[in-house]
Amino acid sequence: MTEWVIQAENLIKTYQMGEVQVHALRGLSTQIARGEIVSIMGPSGSGKSTLMNIIGCLDRPTSGEYVLDGEQVSNMKDDQLASIRNRKVGFVFQSFNLLPRATALANVELPMRYAAITSGRKDRARSALEAVGLGDRIYHRPNELSGGQQQRVAIARALVNDPAIILADEPTGNLDSQSGTEIMNLLLSLNRERGTTLVIVTHDPDVAAQSQRIIHIRDGVVVEE
């Protein structure tokens, strides 16, 4: 039987903007299997960023059900969302989101600090950096690293708590074509070697073409898979 790591059923998300209601998601349903590589695509205003925020436990749906790795998270409170987000989701952002004054090692340690993990933290962070090819850069700060290397640090940070999914938002968007290719190859190799579930939000058809499945969103619903 298929083991679903993401189950979204009839998700509705409505924002109140003054006197106007904005319907970002209009009953969206989708499922993603453990170990799958899925890209989410859609034009601006389609609802893909809202879906990403819900998948990543950064926001809650107005209604509908979302089950992440077997846990019903749709109605969780903020502190519960923060906890499951730290345990279950590894984030990779277009802008890297690294602490500028911290070393690569310290940046990768952050999720473990938030999870109150104290034992073996440096060893785990070092192993994660070695896994992304940066074992010789662990004490470098972001301004001493190339864009591609900074994104590798971000991927190591996403991996370090062994999350159920890695959620990558335009992971190659700030990189030149060669670095972008290297980052995609790294993400794909992590999927092959570790069985990591990858959810990639992208505008780039070349990035999406490397997925096993593409979910197209328009006007807050899935229009094609």
Side-chain angles (χ1 to χ4, degrees):
M1 292 179 62
T2 301
E3 185 180 1
W4 302 112
V5 70
I6 289 173
Q7 295 171 279
E9 185 69 30
N10 198 30
L11 294 182
I12 292 173
K13 183 64 180 180
T14 303
Y15 296 100
Q16 192 71 36
M17 308 287 286
E19 297 182 358
V20 178
Q21 282 194 334
V22 178
H23 301 283
L25 298 180
R26 301 169 180 262
L28 183 147
S29 298
T30 194
Q31 295 174 312
I32 297 175
R34 190 175 304 281
E36 198 173 10
I37 306 170
V38 174
S39 285
I40 297 173
M41 299 190 78
S44 296
S46 63
K48 66 181 183 300
S49 293
T50 301
L51 177 61
M52 183 195 75
N53 287 340
I54 291 173
I55 287 175
C57 299
L58 294 164
D59 199 2
R60 288 179 292 265
T62 304
S63 64
E65 290 196 353
Y66 174 41
V67 178
L68 172 60
D69 197 28
E71 294 193 48
Q72 170 62 257
V73 299
S74 311
N75 300 313
M76 283 186 174
K77 297 178 181 178
D78 289 346
D79 57 341
Q80 295 172 307
L81 279 179
S83 175
I84 196 169
R85 185 167 65 237
N86 196 48
R87 289 186 289 113
K88 301 283 190 181
V89 186
F91 292 95
V92 179
F93 298 100
Q94 177 177 346
S95 55
F96 318 138
N97 286 13
L98 302 178
L99 297 179
R101 297 180 182 276
T103 64
L105 189 70
N107 269 287
V108 175
E109 281 187 75
L110 277 177
M112 291 183 286
R113 287 181 181 273
Y114 295 144
I117 295 170
T118 55
S119 177
R121 198 163 61 197
K122 279 187 166 51
D123 288 340
R124 282 175 59 177
R126 185 180 288 107
S127 294
L129 284 163
E130 289 171 351
V132 300
L134 287 180
D136 59 344
R137 296 286 191 274
I138 64 174
Y139 295 117
H140 287 61
R141 290 177 170 79
N143 65 356
E144 299 170 316
L145 300 171
S146 68
Q149 289 171 332
Q150 290 183 61
Q151 193 62 296
R152 285 173 182 266
V153 174
I155 292 170
R157 181 184 59 192
L159 283 173
V160 76
N161 276 354
D162 193 24
I165 63 169
I166 286 185
L167 183 54
D169 183 17
E170 300 286 359
T172 64
N174 277 353
L175 303 175
D176 60 70
S177 57
Q178 180 179 342
S179 296
T181 297
E182 291 172 355
I183 289 301
M184 280 305 301
N185 287 341
L186 173 59
L187 289 170
L188 295 174
S189 72
L190 291 171
N191 171 266
R192 286 194 304 272
E193 294 165 11
R194 297 182 175 217
T196 305
T197 306
L198 297 177
V199 182
I200 303 168
V201 179
T202 184
H203 285 98
D204 188 338
D206 291 334
V207 169
Q210 298 176 71
S211 305
Q212 296 163 346
R213 183 160 57 100
I214 303 173
I215 298 172
H216 293 273
I217 297 175
R218 186 181 294 273
D219 298 329
V221 296
V222 174
V223 293
E224 182 185 356
E225 292 197 35

